[in-house]
Amino acid sequence: MSGSTGIPKGCVHTTGGCMIYAALTFKYVFDYFPGDVYISMSDIGWIIEHTYNVYGQLLNAATCFLFEGLPTNPGRYWEIAERCGANQLYVAPTVIRSLMRYDDD
């Protein structure tokens, strides 16, 4: 809508560009194959999270896991991935930085 006239500007999406991008990059960049169990643990508000943990997975008929909240211990990510049988795990850089404060154990 225009701020001065209140008339719609007529913006129309005429292609599936965003969805095609999400589907193809999930398939080829994340190397997804049917039967893989891919889990992404990042903040859903990040563009990468909803693109690859919702759109990309669903467009490729993959299983979609969502994890909300902060883990109560550093092993929580691995427990969830193991319980779900994940063979691909993606986390955001902020997750890696948050785990760096713990020792290797």
Coordinates of all heavy atoms in Angstrom, one line a residue:
M1 N 0.8 -1.2 0.0 CA 0.0 0.0 0.0 C 0.9 1.2 0.0 O 1.9 1.3 0.6 CB -0.9 0.0 1.2 CG -1.9 -1.1 1.3 SD -3.2 -0.9 0.2 CE -4.5 -0.5 1.3
S2 N 0.4 2.2 -0.7 CA 1.1 3.5 -0.7 C 0.8 4.2 0.6 O -0.3 4.3 1.1 CB 0.7 4.3 -1.9 OG 1.2 5.6 -1.8
G3 N 1.9 4.9 1.1 CA 1.7 5.7 2.3 C 0.9 7.0 2.1 O 0.2 7.5 3.0
S4 N 1.0 7.5 0.9 CA 0.3 8.7 0.6 C -1.1 8.6 0.0 O -2.0 9.4 0.2 CB 1.2 9.6 -0.3 OG 1.4 8.9 -1.5
T5 N -1.3 7.6 -0.9 CA -2.6 7.5 -1.6 C -3.4 6.3 -1.1 O -4.6 6.2 -1.3 CB -2.3 7.3 -3.1 OG1 -1.7 6.0 -3.3 CG2 -1.6 8.4 -3.7
G6 N -2.8 5.3 -0.4 CA -3.5 4.2 0.1 C -3.8 3.2 -1.0 O -4.6 2.2 -0.8
I7 N -3.3 3.4 -2.2 CA -3.5 2.5 -3.3 C -2.4 1.4 -3.4 O -1.3 1.7 -3.3 CB -3.5 3.3 -4.7 CG1 -4.6 4.4 -4.6 CG2 -3.7 2.4 -5.9 CD1 -4.6 5.4 -5.7
P8 N -2.8 0.1 -3.6 CA -1.8 -0.9 -3.7 C -0.9 -0.7 -4.8 O -1.3 -0.2 -5.9 CB -2.7 -2.2 -3.9 CG -4.0 -1.8 -3.4 CD -4.2 -0.4 -3.7
K9 N 0.4 -1.1 -4.6 CA 1.4 -0.9 -5.6 C 1.4 -2.0 -6.7 O 2.0 -1.9 -7.7 CB 2.8 -0.8 -5.0 CG 3.0 0.4 -4.2 CD 2.8 1.7 -5.0 CE 3.1 2.9 -4.2 NZ 2.8 4.1 -4.8
G10 N 0.7 -3.1 -6.4 CA 0.6 -4.2 -7.3 C 1.8 -5.1 -7.4 O 2.0 -5.7 -8.4
C11 N 2.5 -5.3 -6.3 CA 3.6 -6.3 -6.3 C 3.0 -7.7 -6.3 O 2.2 -8.1 -5.5 CB 4.4 -6.1 -5.0 SG 5.8 -7.2 -4.9
V12 N 3.5 -8.5 -7.3 CA 3.0 -9.8 -7.5 C 4.2 -10.7 -7.7 O 5.1 -10.4 -8.5 CB 2.0 -9.9 -8.7 CG1 1.6 -11.4 -9.0 CG2 0.9 -9.0 -8.5
H13 N 4.2 -11.9 -7.0 CA 5.3 -12.9 -7.3 C 4.8 -13.7 -8.4 O 3.7 -14.4 -8.3 CB 5.5 -13.7 -6.0 CG 6.2 -13.0 -4.9 ND1 7.5 -12.7 -4.9 CD2 5.7 -12.4 -3.8 CE1 7.9 -12.0 -3.9 NE2 6.8 -11.8 -3.2
T14 N 5.5 -13.8 -9.5 CA 5.1 -14.5 -10.7 C 5.8 -15.8 -10.8 O 5.5 -16.6 -11.7 CB 5.3 -13.7 -11.9 OG1 6.6 -13.3 -12.0 CG2 4.4 -12.4 -11.9
T15 N 6.8 -16.1 -10.0 CA 7.6 -17.4 -10.1 C 7.7 -17.9 -8.7 O 7.5 -17.3 -7.7 CB 9.0 -17.1 -10.7 OG1 9.7 -16.3 -9.8 CG2 8.9 -16.5 -12.1
G16 N 8.2 -19.2 -8.7 CA 8.4 -19.8 -7.4 C 9.9 -19.7 -7.0 O 10.4 -20.7 -6.4
G17 N 10.5 -18.6 -7.3 CA 12.0 -18.5 -7.0 C 12.4 -18.9 -5.7 O 13.4 -19.6 -5.5
C18 N 11.8 -18.4 -4.6 CA 12.2 -18.7 -3.3 C 12.1 -20.2 -3.0 O 13.0 -20.8 -2.4 CB 11.5 -17.8 -2.3 SG 12.0 -18.1 -0.6
M19 N 11.0 -20.7 -3.3 CA 10.7 -22.1 -3.1 C 11.6 -23.0 -3.9 O 12.1 -24.1 -3.4 CB 9.3 -22.5 -3.3 CG 8.3 -21.9 -2.3 SD 8.7 -22.6 -0.7 CE 7.5 -21.6 0.3
I20 N 11.8 -22.7 -5.1 CA 12.7 -23.5 -6.0 C 14.2 -23.4 -5.4 O 14.8 -24.5 -5.3 CB 12.7 -23.0 -7.4 CG1 11.3 -23.3 -8.0 CG2 13.8 -23.6 -8.2 CD1 11.1 -22.7 -9.4
Y21 N 14.6 -22.3 -5.0 CA 15.9 -22.1 -4.4 C 16.0 -23.0 -3.1 O 17.0 -23.7 -2.9 CB 16.2 -20.6 -4.1 CG 17.5 -20.4 -3.4 CD1 18.7 -20.3 -4.1 CD2 17.5 -20.2 -2.0 CE1 19.9 -20.1 -3.5 CE2 18.7 -20.0 -1.4 CZ 19.9 -19.9 -2.1 OH 21.1 -19.7 -1.5
A22 N 15.0 -22.9 -2.2 CA 15.0 -23.7 -1.0 C 15.1 -25.2 -1.3 O 15.9 -25.9 -0.7 CB 13.8 -23.3 -0.1
A23 N 14.3 -25.6 -2.2 CA 14.2 -27.0 -2.6 C 15.6 -27.5 -3.2 O 16.1 -28.6 -2.8 CB 13.1 -27.3 -3.5
L24 N 16.1 -26.8 -4.1 CA 17.3 -27.2 -4.8 C 18.5 -27.1 -3.9 O 19.4 -28.0 -3.9 CB 17.5 -26.4 -6.1 CG 16.5 -26.8 -7.2 CD1 16.7 -25.9 -8.4 CD2 16.5 -28.2 -7.6
T25 N 18.7 -26.0 -3.2 CA 19.8 -25.9 -2.3 C 19.8 -27.0 -1.2 O 20.8 -27.5 -0.8 CB 20.0 -24.5 -1.7 OG1 18.8 -24.1 -1.0 CG2 20.4 -23.5 -2.8
F26 N 18.6 -27.2 -0.6 CA 18.5 -28.3 0.4 C 19.0 -29.6 -0.2 O 19.7 -30.4 0.4 CB 17.1 -28.4 0.9 CG 16.9 -29.5 1.9 CD1 17.3 -29.4 3.2 CD2 16.4 -30.8 1.5 CE1 17.2 -30.4 4.1 CE2 16.3 -31.8 2.4 CZ 16.7 -31.6 3.7
K27 N 18.5 -29.9 -1.4 CA 18.8 -31.2 -2.1 C 20.3 -31.3 -2.5 O 20.9 -32.3 -2.2 CB 18.0 -31.4 -3.3 CG 18.2 -32.7 -4.0 CD 17.3 -32.9 -5.2 CE 17.6 -34.3 -5.8 NZ 16.6 -34.6 -6.8
Y28 N 20.8 -30.3 -3.1 CA 22.2 -30.4 -3.6 C 23.3 -29.8 -2.7 O 24.3 -30.5 -2.6 CB 22.3 -29.7 -5.0 CG 21.4 -30.4 -6.0 CD1 20.3 -29.8 -6.5 CD2 21.8 -31.7 -6.4 CE1 19.5 -30.4 -7.5 CE2 21.0 -32.3 -7.4 CZ 19.9 -31.7 -7.9 OH 19.1 -32.4 -8.8
V29 N 23.1 -28.8 -2.0 CA 24.1 -28.2 -1.1 C 24.2 -29.1 0.2 O 25.3 -29.4 0.6 CB 23.8 -26.8 -0.7 CG1 24.8 -26.3 0.3 CG2 23.9 -25.9 -2.0
F30 N 23.0 -29.5 0.7 CA 23.0 -30.3 1.9 C 23.1 -31.8 1.5 O 23.1 -32.7 2.4 CB 21.8 -30.0 2.8 CG 21.9 -28.7 3.4 CD1 21.3 -27.6 2.9 CD2 22.6 -28.5 4.6 CE1 21.3 -26.3 3.5 CE2 22.7 -27.3 5.2 CZ 22.0 -26.2 4.7
D31 N 23.2 -32.1 0.3 CA 23.3 -33.5 -0.3 C 22.3 -34.4 0.3 O 22.6 -35.5 0.7 CB 24.7 -34.0 0.1 CG 25.2 -35.1 -0.8 OD1 24.7 -35.2 -1.9 OD2 26.0 -35.9 -0.3
Y32 N 21.0 -34.0 0.2 CA 19.9 -34.8 0.7 C 19.5 -35.9 -0.3 O 19.4 -35.6 -1.5 CB 18.7 -33.9 1.0 CG 17.5 -34.8 1.4 CD1 17.4 -35.3 2.7 CD2 16.5 -35.0 0.5 CE1 16.4 -36.1 3.0 CE2 15.4 -35.9 0.8 CZ 15.4 -36.4 2.1 OH 14.3 -37.2 2.5
F33 N 19.3 -37.1 0.3 CA 18.8 -38.2 -0.5 C 17.6 -38.8 0.2 O 17.5 -38.7 1.4 CB 19.9 -39.3 -0.7 CG 21.0 -38.9 -1.6 CD1 22.2 -38.4 -1.0 CD2 20.9 -39.1 -2.9 CE1 23.2 -38.0 -1.8 CE2 22.0 -38.7 -3.8 CZ 23.1 -38.2 -3.2
P34 N 16.6 -39.2 -0.5 CA 15.4 -39.8 0.1 C 15.9 -40.9 1.1 O 16.7 -41.7 0.9 CB 14.6 -40.5 -1.0 CG 15.0 -39.6 -2.2 CD 16.5 -39.3 -2.0
G35 N 15.3 -40.8 2.3 CA 15.6 -41.7 3.4 C 16.6 -41.2 4.4 O 16.7 -41.7 5.5
D36 N 17.4 -40.1 4.0 CA 18.2 -39.4 5.0 C 17.4 -38.8 6.1 O 16.2 -38.4 5.8 CB 19.0 -38.3 4.3 CG 20.2 -38.9 3.4 OD1 20.5 -40.1 3.5 OD2 20.8 -38.0 2.7
V37 N 17.9 -38.8 7.3 CA 17.3 -38.1 8.3 C 18.1 -36.9 8.7 O 19.2 -37.0 9.2 CB 17.1 -39.0 9.6 CG1 16.4 -38.2 10.7 CG2 16.3 -40.2 9.2
Y38 N 17.6 -35.7 8.2 CA 18.3 -34.4 8.4 C 17.7 -33.7 9.5 O 16.5 -33.6 9.6 CB 18.2 -33.7 7.1 CG 18.6 -32.2 7.1 CD1 19.9 -31.9 6.8 CD2 17.7 -31.2 7.4 CE1 20.3 -30.6 6.8 CE2 18.1 -29.9 7.4 CZ 19.4 -29.6 7.1 OH 19.8 -28.3 7.1
I39 N 18.5 -33.2 10.4 CA 17.9 -32.4 11.5 C 18.7 -31.1 11.6 O 20.0 -31.1 11.5 CB 17.9 -33.1 12.8 CG1 17.2 -32.3 13.9 CG2 19.3 -33.5 13.3 CD1 16.9 -33.2 15.2
S40 N 18.0 -30.0 11.7 CA 18.7 -28.7 11.8 C 18.3 -28.1 13.2 O 17.1 -28.0 13.5 CB 18.2 -27.8 10.7 OG 18.8 -26.5 10.9
M41 N 19.3 -27.6 13.9 CA 19.0 -27.0 15.2 C 19.5 -25.6 15.3 O 20.6 -25.4 15.6 CB 19.6 -27.9 16.3 CG 19.1 -29.3 16.4 SD 19.7 -30.1 17.8 CE 19.5 -31.8 17.4
S42 N 18.6 -24.7 14.9 CA 19.0 -23.3 14.8 C 17.7 -22.5 15.2 O 16.6 -23.1 15.2 CB 19.4 -22.9 13.4 OG 20.5 -23.7 13.0
D43 N 17.9 -21.3 15.4 CA 16.7 -20.4 15.8 C 15.8 -20.3 14.5 O 16.3 -20.0 13.5 CB 17.2 -19.1 16.2 CG 16.1 -18.1 16.6 OD1 14.9 -18.5 16.4 OD2 16.4 -17.0 17.2
I44 N 14.5 -20.7 14.7 CA 13.6 -20.7 13.6 C 13.5 -19.3 12.9 O 13.1 -19.2 11.8 CB 12.2 -21.2 14.0 CG1 11.4 -21.6 12.8 CG2 11.5 -20.2 14.9 CD1 11.8 -22.7 12.1
G45 N 13.8 -18.2 13.7 CA 13.8 -16.9 13.1 C 14.8 -16.6 12.1 O 14.7 -15.6 11.3
W46 N 15.9 -17.4 12.1 CA 16.9 -17.2 11.1 C 16.4 -17.6 9.7 O 15.7 -18.6 9.6 CB 18.1 -18.1 11.4 CG 19.1 -17.6 12.4 CD1 18.8 -17.0 13.6 CD2 20.5 -17.6 12.3 NE1 19.9 -16.7 14.3 CE2 21.0 -17.1 13.5 CE3 21.4 -18.1 11.4 CZ2 22.3 -17.0 13.8 CZ3 22.7 -18.0 11.7 CH2 23.2 -17.5 12.9
I47 N 16.8 -16.9 8.7 CA 16.4 -17.2 7.3 C 16.8 -18.6 7.0 O 16.1 -19.4 6.3 CB 17.0 -16.2 6.3 CG1 16.5 -16.5 4.9 CG2 18.5 -16.1 6.3 CD1 15.0 -16.1 4.6
I48 N 18.0 -19.0 7.4 CA 18.5 -20.3 7.1 C 17.7 -21.4 7.7 O 17.5 -22.5 7.2 CB 20.0 -20.4 7.4 CG1 20.6 -21.6 6.6 CG2 20.2 -20.7 8.9 CD1 22.0 -21.2 6.1
E49 N 17.1 -21.1 8.9 CA 16.4 -22.2 9.6 C 15.1 -22.5 8.9 O 14.8 -23.6 8.6 CB 16.2 -21.8 11.1 CG 15.4 -22.8 11.8 CD 16.2 -24.1 12.0 OE1 17.3 -24.2 11.6 OE2 15.5 -25.1 12.4
H50 N 14.2 -21.5 8.7 CA 13.0 -21.8 8.1 C 13.1 -22.2 6.6 O 12.3 -22.9 6.1 CB 11.9 -20.7 8.3 CG 12.2 -19.4 7.8 ND1 12.8 -18.4 8.5 CD2 12.1 -18.9 6.5 CE1 12.9 -17.3 7.8 NE2 12.5 -17.6 6.6
T51 N 14.2 -21.7 6.0 CA 14.4 -22.1 4.6 C 14.8 -23.6 4.5 O 14.2 -24.3 3.7 CB 15.5 -21.3 3.9 OG1 15.1 -19.9 4.0 CG2 15.8 -21.7 2.5
Y52 N 15.7 -24.0 5.3 CA 16.2 -25.4 5.2 C 15.6 -26.4 6.2 O 15.7 -27.6 6.0 CB 17.7 -25.4 5.3 CG 18.3 -24.6 4.2 CD1 19.1 -23.6 4.5 CD2 18.0 -24.9 2.9 CE1 19.6 -22.8 3.5 CE2 18.5 -24.2 1.9 CZ 19.4 -23.1 2.2 OH 19.9 -22.4 1.1
N53 N 14.9 -25.9 7.3 CA 14.3 -26.9 8.2 C 12.8 -27.0 8.0 O 12.2 -27.8 8.6 CB 14.6 -26.5 9.6 CG 14.4 -27.7 10.6 OD1 14.7 -28.8 10.2 ND2 14.0 -27.4 11.8
V54 N 12.3 -26.1 7.2 CA 10.8 -26.3 6.9 C 10.7 -26.4 5.4 O 10.3 -27.5 4.9 CB 10.0 -25.1 7.5 CG1 8.6 -25.2 7.1 CG2 10.2 -24.9 9.0
Y55 N 10.9 -25.3 4.7 CA 10.6 -25.3 3.2 C 11.4 -26.4 2.5 O 10.9 -27.2 1.7 CB 10.9 -24.0 2.6 CG 10.1 -22.8 3.2 CD1 10.8 -21.6 3.4 CD2 8.9 -23.0 3.7 CE1 10.1 -20.5 4.0 CE2 8.2 -21.9 4.4 CZ 8.9 -20.7 4.5 OH 8.2 -19.6 5.1
G56 N 12.7 -26.4 2.6 CA 13.6 -27.3 1.9 C 13.3 -28.7 2.2 O 13.2 -29.6 1.3
Q57 N 13.1 -29.1 3.4 CA 12.7 -30.5 3.8 C 11.4 -30.9 3.2 O 11.2 -31.9 2.6 CB 12.7 -30.6 5.3 CG 14.1 -30.7 5.9 CD 14.1 -31.1 7.3 OE1 13.4 -32.0 7.7 NE2 14.9 -30.5 8.1
L58 N 10.4 -30.0 3.4 CA 9.0 -30.4 3.0 C 8.9 -30.5 1.5 O 8.2 -31.3 0.9 CB 8.0 -29.4 3.6 CG 7.8 -29.4 5.1 CD1 6.9 -28.4 5.5 CD2 7.4 -30.8 5.6
L59 N 9.6 -29.6 0.8 CA 9.6 -29.6 -0.7 C 10.3 -30.8 -1.3 O 10.1 -31.2 -2.4 CB 10.2 -28.3 -1.3 CG 9.4 -27.1 -1.0 CD1 10.2 -25.8 -1.3 CD2 8.1 -27.1 -1.9
N60 N 11.2 -31.5 -0.4 CA 11.9 -32.7 -0.9 C 11.3 -33.9 -0.2 O 11.9 -35.0 -0.2 CB 13.3 -32.6 -0.5 CG 14.1 -31.7 -1.6 OD1 14.4 -32.2 -2.6 ND2 14.3 -30.5 -1.2
A61 N 10.1 -33.8 0.4 CA 9.4 -34.9 1.1 C 10.3 -35.5 2.2 O 10.2 -36.7 2.4 CB 8.9 -35.9 0.1
A62 N 11.1 -34.7 2.8 CA 11.9 -35.2 3.9 C 11.2 -35.0 5.3 O 10.3 -34.3 5.4 CB 13.2 -34.4 3.9
T63 N 11.8 -35.8 6.2 CA 11.2 -35.6 7.6 C 11.7 -34.3 8.2 O 12.8 -33.9 8.0 CB 11.8 -36.8 8.5 OG1 11.4 -38.0 7.9 CG2 11.2 -36.7 9.9
C64 N 10.8 -33.6 8.9 CA 11.1 -32.3 9.4 C 11.1 -32.3 10.9 O 10.1 -32.6 11.5 CB 10.1 -31.3 8.9 SG 10.4 -29.6 9.3
F65 N 12.2 -32.1 11.5 CA 12.4 -32.0 13.0 C 12.5 -30.5 13.4 O 13.3 -29.8 12.8 CB 13.6 -32.8 13.5 CG 13.5 -34.2 13.4 CD1 14.1 -34.9 12.3 CD2 12.8 -35.0 14.3 CE1 14.0 -36.3 12.2 CE2 12.7 -36.3 14.2 CZ 13.3 -37.0 13.1
L66 N 11.8 -30.1 14.4 CA 11.9 -28.8 15.0 C 12.3 -28.9 16.4 O 11.8 -29.7 17.2 CB 10.6 -28.0 14.8 CG 10.2 -27.7 13.4 CD1 8.8 -27.0 13.5 CD2 11.1 -26.9 12.7
F67 N 13.3 -28.1 16.8 CA 13.7 -28.1 18.2 C 13.6 -26.6 18.7 O 14.2 -25.7 18.1 CB 15.2 -28.6 18.4 CG 15.7 -28.4 19.8 CD1 15.4 -29.3 20.8 CD2 16.5 -27.3 20.1 CE1 15.8 -29.2 22.0 CE2 17.0 -27.2 21.4 CZ 16.7 -28.1 22.4
E68 N 12.8 -26.4 19.7 CA 12.6 -25.1 20.2 C 13.2 -24.9 21.6 O 13.1 -25.8 22.4 CB 11.1 -24.8 20.3 CG 10.8 -23.4 20.8 CD 9.4 -23.1 20.9 OE1 8.6 -24.0 20.9 OE2 9.0 -21.9 21.0
G69 N 13.9 -23.8 21.8 CA 14.5 -23.6 23.1 C 16.0 -23.8 23.2 O 16.6 -24.3 22.3
L70 N 16.5 -23.5 24.3 CA 17.9 -23.7 24.6 C 18.2 -25.1 25.2 O 17.4 -25.5 26.1 CB 18.5 -22.6 25.4 CG 18.5 -21.2 24.9 CD1 18.9 -20.2 25.9 CD2 19.4 -21.1 23.6
P71 N 19.2 -25.8 24.8 CA 19.5 -27.1 25.5 C 19.9 -26.8 27.0 O 20.6 -25.8 27.2 CB 20.6 -27.7 24.7 CG 21.3 -26.5 24.1 CD 20.2 -25.5 23.8
T72 N 19.5 -27.7 27.8 CA 19.9 -27.5 29.3 C 21.3 -28.1 29.5 O 21.8 -27.8 30.6 CB 18.9 -28.2 30.2 OG1 18.8 -29.6 29.7 CG2 17.5 -27.6 30.1
N73 N 21.8 -28.8 28.6 CA 23.2 -29.3 28.7 C 23.8 -29.4 27.3 O 23.1 -29.5 26.3 CB 23.3 -30.6 29.5 CG 22.6 -31.8 28.7 OD1 23.0 -32.1 27.6 ND2 21.5 -32.3 29.3
P74 N 25.1 -29.4 27.2 CA 25.7 -29.3 25.9 C 25.5 -30.6 25.1 O 25.6 -30.6 23.8 CB 27.2 -29.1 26.1 CG 27.4 -29.5 27.6 CD 26.1 -29.2 28.3
G75 N 25.2 -31.7 25.7 CA 25.0 -33.0 25.0 C 23.5 -33.1 24.5 O 23.2 -34.1 23.8
R76 N 22.7 -32.2 24.8 CA 21.3 -32.2 24.3 C 21.1 -32.4 22.8 O 20.3 -33.1 22.3 CB 20.5 -31.0 24.9 CG 19.1 -31.0 24.5 CD 18.3 -32.0 25.5 NE 16.9 -31.8 25.3 CZ 16.1 -32.8 25.2 NH1 16.5 -34.0 25.3 NH2 14.8 -32.5 25.0
Y77 N 21.9 -31.6 22.1 CA 21.8 -31.7 20.6 C 22.1 -33.1 20.1 O 21.4 -33.6 19.3 CB 22.8 -30.8 19.9 CG 22.5 -29.3 20.2 CD1 23.3 -28.5 21.0 CD2 21.5 -28.7 19.5 CE1 23.0 -27.2 21.2 CE2 21.2 -27.4 19.7 CZ 22.0 -26.6 20.6 OH 21.7 -25.3 20.8
W78 N 23.1 -33.7 20.7 CA 23.5 -35.1 20.2 C 22.5 -36.1 20.7 O 22.2 -37.1 19.9 CB 24.9 -35.5 20.8 CG 25.9 -34.3 20.7 CD1 26.6 -33.8 21.7 CD2 26.2 -33.5 19.6 NE1 27.3 -32.7 21.3 CE2 27.1 -32.5 20.0 CE3 25.8 -33.5 18.2 CZ2 27.6 -31.5 19.1 CZ3 26.3 -32.5 17.4 CH2 27.2 -31.6 17.8
E79 N 21.9 -35.9 21.8 CA 20.9 -36.8 22.3 C 19.6 -36.8 21.4 O 19.1 -37.8 21.0 CB 20.4 -36.5 23.7 CG 21.5 -36.7 24.8 CD 21.1 -36.0 26.1 OE1 20.0 -35.5 26.3 OE2 22.0 -36.0 27.0
I80 N 19.3 -35.6 21.0 CA 18.1 -35.5 20.1 C 18.4 -36.1 18.7 O 17.6 -36.8 18.1 CB 17.7 -34.0 19.9 CG1 17.2 -33.4 21.2 CG2 16.7 -33.8 18.8 CD1 17.0 -31.9 21.3
A81 N 19.6 -35.8 18.2 CA 20.0 -36.3 16.9 C 20.1 -37.8 16.9 O 19.6 -38.5 16.0 CB 21.3 -35.7 16.4
E82 N 20.6 -38.4 18.0 CA 20.7 -39.8 18.1 C 19.3 -40.5 18.2 O 19.0 -41.5 17.6 CB 21.5 -40.2 19.3 CG 21.7 -41.7 19.4 CD 22.7 -42.1 20.6 OE1 22.8 -41.3 21.5 OE2 23.3 -43.2 20.5
R83 N 18.4 -39.9 19.1 CA 17.1 -40.4 19.2 C 16.3 -40.4 17.9 O 15.5 -41.3 17.6 CB 16.3 -39.6 20.3 CG 15.0 -40.2 20.6 CD 14.3 -39.4 21.8 NE 14.8 -38.0 21.8 CZ 14.3 -37.1 22.6 NH1 13.4 -37.4 23.4 NH2 14.7 -35.9 22.5
C84 N 16.5 -39.3 17.1 CA 15.8 -39.2 15.8 C 16.4 -40.0 14.7 O 15.9 -40.1 13.6 CB 15.7 -37.7 15.4 SG 14.7 -36.7 16.6
G85 N 17.6 -40.6 15.0 CA 18.3 -41.3 13.9 C 18.8 -40.5 12.8 O 18.9 -40.9 11.7
A86 N 19.2 -39.3 13.2 CA 19.8 -38.3 12.1 C 21.1 -38.8 11.6 O 22.0 -39.2 12.3 CB 19.9 -36.9 12.7
N87 N 21.2 -38.7 10.3 CA 22.5 -39.0 9.7 C 23.1 -37.7 9.1 O 24.2 -37.7 8.5 CB 22.4 -40.1 8.6 CG 21.5 -39.8 7.4 OD1 20.6 -39.0 7.6 ND2 21.8 -40.3 6.3
Q88 N 22.4 -36.6 9.2 CA 22.9 -35.3 8.8 C 22.4 -34.3 9.9 O 21.2 -34.3 10.3 CB 22.3 -34.8 7.5 CG 22.8 -35.6 6.3 CD 22.5 -34.9 5.0 OE1 22.7 -33.7 4.9 NE2 22.1 -35.6 4.0
L89 N 23.3 -33.5 10.4 CA 23.1 -32.6 11.5 C 23.6 -31.2 11.1 O 24.7 -31.1 10.7 CB 23.7 -33.0 12.8 CG 23.6 -32.0 14.0 CD1 22.2 -31.8 14.4 CD2 24.4 -32.5 15.1
Y90 N 22.7 -30.2 11.1 CA 23.1 -28.8 10.8 C 22.8 -28.0 12.0 O 21.7 -28.1 12.6 CB 22.3 -28.3 9.6 CG 22.6 -26.9 9.3 CD1 23.7 -26.5 8.6 CD2 21.8 -25.9 9.8 CE1 24.0 -25.2 8.4 CE2 22.1 -24.5 9.6 CZ 23.2 -24.2 8.9 OH 23.5 -22.9 8.7
V91 N 23.8 -27.2 12.4 CA 23.6 -26.2 13.4 C 24.1 -24.8 13.0 O 25.0 -24.8 12.1 CB 24.2 -26.6 14.8 CG1 23.6 -27.8 15.3 CG2 25.7 -26.7 14.6
A92 N 23.5 -23.8 13.5 CA 24.0 -22.4 13.2 C 25.3 -22.1 13.9 O 25.6 -22.7 14.9 CB 22.9 -21.4 13.6
P93 N 26.0 -21.2 13.4 CA 27.3 -20.7 14.0 C 27.1 -20.3 15.5 O 28.0 -20.5 16.3 CB 27.8 -19.6 13.2 CG 27.2 -19.8 11.8 CD 25.8 -20.4 12.1
T94 N 25.9 -19.8 15.8 CA 25.7 -19.4 17.2 C 25.6 -20.6 18.1 O 26.1 -20.5 19.3 CB 24.4 -18.5 17.4 OG1 23.3 -19.3 16.8 CG2 24.5 -17.2 16.7
V95 N 25.1 -21.7 17.6 CA 25.1 -22.9 18.4 C 26.5 -23.4 18.7 O 26.9 -23.8 19.8 CB 24.3 -24.0 17.7 CG1 24.5 -25.4 18.4 CG2 22.8 -23.6 17.6
I96 N 27.4 -23.4 17.7 CA 28.8 -23.8 17.8 C 29.5 -22.9 18.8 O 30.2 -23.4 19.7 CB 29.5 -23.8 16.4 CG1 28.8 -24.9 15.6 CG2 31.0 -24.1 16.6 CD1 29.3 -24.8 14.1
R97 N 29.3 -21.6 18.7 CA 29.9 -20.7 19.7 C 29.4 -20.9 21.1 O 30.2 -20.9 22.0 CB 29.6 -19.2 19.2 CG 30.5 -18.8 18.1 CD 30.5 -17.3 17.9 NE 29.1 -16.8 17.5 CZ 28.7 -16.7 16.2 NH1 29.5 -17.1 15.2 NH2 27.5 -16.3 15.9
S98 N 28.1 -21.3 21.2 CA 27.6 -21.5 22.6 C 28.2 -22.8 23.2 O 28.4 -22.9 24.4 CB 26.1 -21.6 22.6 OG 25.6 -22.8 22.0
L99 N 28.5 -23.8 22.3 CA 29.1 -25.0 22.8 C 30.6 -24.9 23.1 O 31.2 -25.7 23.9 CB 28.9 -26.1 21.8 CG 27.5 -26.6 21.6 CD1 27.4 -27.5 20.4 CD2 26.9 -27.2 22.8
M100 N 31.3 -23.9 22.6 CA 32.7 -23.7 22.8 C 33.1 -23.4 24.2 O 34.2 -23.7 24.6 CB 33.2 -22.7 21.8 CG 33.2 -23.1 20.4 SD 33.7 -21.8 19.2 CE 35.3 -21.5 19.7
R101 N 32.1 -23.0 25.0 CA 32.5 -22.7 26.4 C 32.6 -23.9 27.3 O 33.1 -23.9 28.4 CB 31.4 -21.7 27.0 CG 30.1 -22.3 27.1 CD 29.1 -21.3 27.8 NE 27.8 -21.8 27.7 CZ 26.8 -21.0 27.3 NH1 26.9 -19.8 27.1 NH2 25.6 -21.5 27.2
Y102 N 32.1 -25.1 26.7 CA 32.2 -26.3 27.4 C 33.5 -27.0 27.0 O 34.0 -26.8 25.9 CB 31.0 -27.2 27.1 CG 29.7 -26.6 27.6 CD1 28.9 -26.0 26.7 CD2 29.3 -26.7 28.9 CE1 27.7 -25.5 27.1 CE2 28.1 -26.1 29.3 CZ 27.3 -25.5 28.4 OH 26.1 -25.0 28.8
D103 N 34.1 -27.9 27.9 CA 35.3 -28.6 27.5 C 34.8 -29.8 26.5 O 33.7 -30.0 26.2 CB 36.0 -29.1 28.7 CG 35.2 -30.1 29.6 OD1 34.2 -30.6 29.1 OD2 35.6 -30.3 30.7
D104 N 35.8 -30.5 26.1 CA 35.6 -31.6 25.1 C 34.7 -32.7 25.6 O 34.1 -33.5 24.8 CB 36.9 -32.2 24.6 CG 37.6 -31.1 23.7 OD1 37.0 -30.2 23.2 OD2 38.8 -31.3 23.5
D105 N 34.6 -32.9 26.9 CA 33.8 -33.9 27.5 C 32.3 -33.7 27.3 O 31.5 -34.5 27.3 CB 34.1 -34.1 29.0 CG 35.5 -34.6 29.2 OD1 36.1 -35.3 28.3 OD2 36.1 -34.4 30.2

